Amino acid sequence: MIELEQMVIELSEAFGPSGFEGEVRQKIASWVGEYTNVTYDHFGSLIAVHSGTTMSPKVMLAAHMDEVGLMVRGILPGGELRVVTLGSWWPPSLLAQPVVIRSREGDRLGVIGAKPPHYLREEERNRQLKLDDLYIDVGARSAVEVQAMGIAPGDPVVPAVQTRPLSGQSVYMGKAFDDRLGCAVLANVLQTLGSHHPNQVVGVATVQEEVGLRGAKAVSPVIQPDICIVLEGVPADDFPGNSIVQGRMGGGPQIRRFDPTMIANQALVDLLIDTAQQSGIPYQVAVRESGGTDASAIQVHTHGGVPTTVIGIPVRYAHSHQGIADIRDVSHTAALVREFIFRLDLKTVNHLKQNPW
Ligand code: CO
């Protein structure tokens, strides 16, 4: 069984922007295949069924495999690549960052360029950078040179980043922690659950979350879960000047009561908090002013609705080249989910369904 820490490193470094999740899926399948029955839907999501002592209730755990990335749109005469985004980026965070372009002939390195500051006019300096100002520079001098490298419109792009430890033993810097940390929890729980849980667990690694929860919308009606927990790498809010901190890195799993796209089943949240307290697992509770996850799609894309919430692992600088996260938050999340699954027998889940608040 692979260590959680090694799992995080491998998942973080895997290539997998929205619509190109194959490498991530292959890793998860190789880790959980021995413990679950793995199938795929027609859109790319992985479905791993873990049998317990009974077939019902059906407990869905979901994590998305895709990371925010780019796609080559076209090649300018000078050899620069224009791009479209796969998921949401804040353009200033892209400037001067290294990227890898997956061409049909292999991976190519580039850097995100823009007009150099030395050449900017006054009015250009004072306005915010837009995606249109940016391009990928692969070190070529013409479109012909770029074509000779095998690069073509449609090639997917992700940050070129190695996952590295920071000070301390458990904090790492790397890309795609949103949501490879959730994928790591999913795989770890499926590996360590054992067969005595009073339910059927269905682990789902979804595709295309970052472009509008498309994978979750496609797969939920197929699963028809009785209850669902979404596992997410969520933006940490422990930055300077924030007076309401609900997602501190190292503060433990963050249980979500609300975001603008989802009102969680409050009884489910209460039961999760109970479980954390009784198991001595640190936790934090979030009421978010923005954001949304696969949970908003899953909770309404099943007949009659599904009691749902999100458990988040705080990630500083999500949707950028260098996120920072604490592995202890990942292992605490896995411990909480594992404990929780053993509480979800038919009676408890039926109660949550009938008494959501
Ligand atoms: Co995410």
Side-chain angles (χ1 to χ4, degrees):
M1 191 184 306
I2 182 169
E3 287 280 320
L4 190 56
E5 195 154 341
Q6 183 60 27
M7 217 178 234
V8 166
I9 294 169
E10 287 188 32
L11 285 169
S12 163
E13 290 184 348
F15 185 101
S18 310
F20 300 85
E21 296 89 348
E23 209 172 287
V24 182
R25 190 174 84 167
Q26 196 275 326
K27 279 193 181 295
I28 297 172
S30 75
W31 293 332
V32 306
E34 186 184 329
Y35 306 89
T36 63
N37 181 28
V38 175
T39 55
Y40 307 102
D41 79 353
H42 312 154
F43 210 50
S45 294
L46 174 148
I47 303 165
V49 177
H50 193 292
S51 303
T53 54
T54 155
M55 294 294 279
S56 147
K58 203 186 273 183
V59 178
M60 178 173 174
L61 305 176
H64 69 89
M65 297 187 285
D66 58 319
E67 65 188 298
V68 291
L70 305 166
M71 181 186 273
V72 176
R73 192 174 106 72
I75 306 166
L76 298 176
E80 305 87 356
L81 313 178
R82 288 289 189 205
V83 295
V84 293
T85 54
L86 298 171
S88 99
W89 283 95
W90 191 50
S93 70
L94 281 166
L95 182 61
Q97 298 293 333
V99 290
V100 55
I101 302 139
R102 184 148 289 186
S103 87
R104 282 176 199 271
E105 293 171 35
D107 286 354
R108 305 284 181 254
L109 273 177
V111 72
I112 304 205
K115 190 171 171 182
H118 320 73
Y119 296 94
L120 287 177
R121 295 190 303 272
E122 186 69 20
E123 65 271 21
E124 288 174 319
R125 260 172 206 284
N126 293 333
R127 70 171 173 78
Q128 202 192 305
L129 207 60
K130 300 192 305 290
L131 189 69
D132 280 353
D133 300 317
L134 303 174
Y135 50 82
I136 298 174
D137 189 330
V138 291
R141 284 158 295 187
S142 70
V144 175
E145 276 184 45
V146 174
Q147 282 150 359
M149 296 167 86
I151 295 171
D155 288 347
V157 178
V158 299
V161 169
Q162 257 192 322
T163 313
R164 288 178 293 179
L166 288 173
S167 63
Q169 297 155 359
S170 62
V171 177
Y172 277 83
M173 176 167 102
K175 74 167 178 70
F177 288 156
D178 168 10
D179 183 27
R180 304 290 161 71
L181 299 185
C183 293
V185 170
L186 182 79
N188 178 263
V189 167
L190 293 173
Q191 282 186 337
T192 56
L193 202 50
S195 56
H196 297 297
H197 49 99
N199 46 45
Q200 182 184 186
V201 173
V202 184
V204 182
T206 64
V207 294
Q208 300 191 30
E209 190 268 357
E210 297 288 359
V211 291
L213 324 178
R214 296 176 195 169
K217 287 174 188 167
V219 78
S220 303
V222 180
I223 309 291
Q224 292 288 333
D226 293 295
I227 189 164
C228 178
I229 306 278
V230 171
L231 306 163
E232 258 291 0
V234 297
D237 59 3
D238 53 355
F239 50 84
N242 185 20
S243 52
I244 300 181
V245 177
Q246 300 177 333
R248 189 183 296 285
M249 186 186 74
Q254 184 205 53
I255 306 165
R256 190 176 297 201
R257 284 206 185 273
F258 175 91
D259 70 46
T261 72
M262 176 209 68
I263 301 171
N265 178 303
Q266 303 295 311
L268 164 56
V269 171
D270 292 342
L271 193 58
L272 266 168
I273 290 172
D274 244 37
T275 308
Q277 285 175 347
Q278 284 173 22
S279 314
I281 299 167
Y283 68 95
Q284 31 199 343
V285 176
V287 175
R288 291 280 312 274
E289 286 181 310
S290 62
T293 72
D294 274 345
S296 71
I298 295 164
Q299 73 170 178
V300 296
H301 277 70
T302 306
H303 297 312
V306 191
T308 303
T309 188
V310 178
I311 304 184
I313 303 135
V315 178
R316 291 182 181 164
Y317 320 115
H319 290 211
S320 80
H321 273 58
Q322 305 285 357
I324 299 179
D326 192 331
I327 299 287
R328 286 173 300 186
D329 288 333
V330 183
S331 58
H332 281 139
T333 303
L336 176 58
V337 171
R338 205 162 31 240
E339 282 295 322
F340 192 59
I341 286 170
F342 282 90
R343 295 189 171 210
L344 297 177
D345 57 15
L346 191 59
K347 183 164 164 261
T348 305
V349 171
N350 279 342
H351 187 78
L352 293 173
K353 281 174 156 178
Q354 296 304 317
N355 304 277
W357 52 82

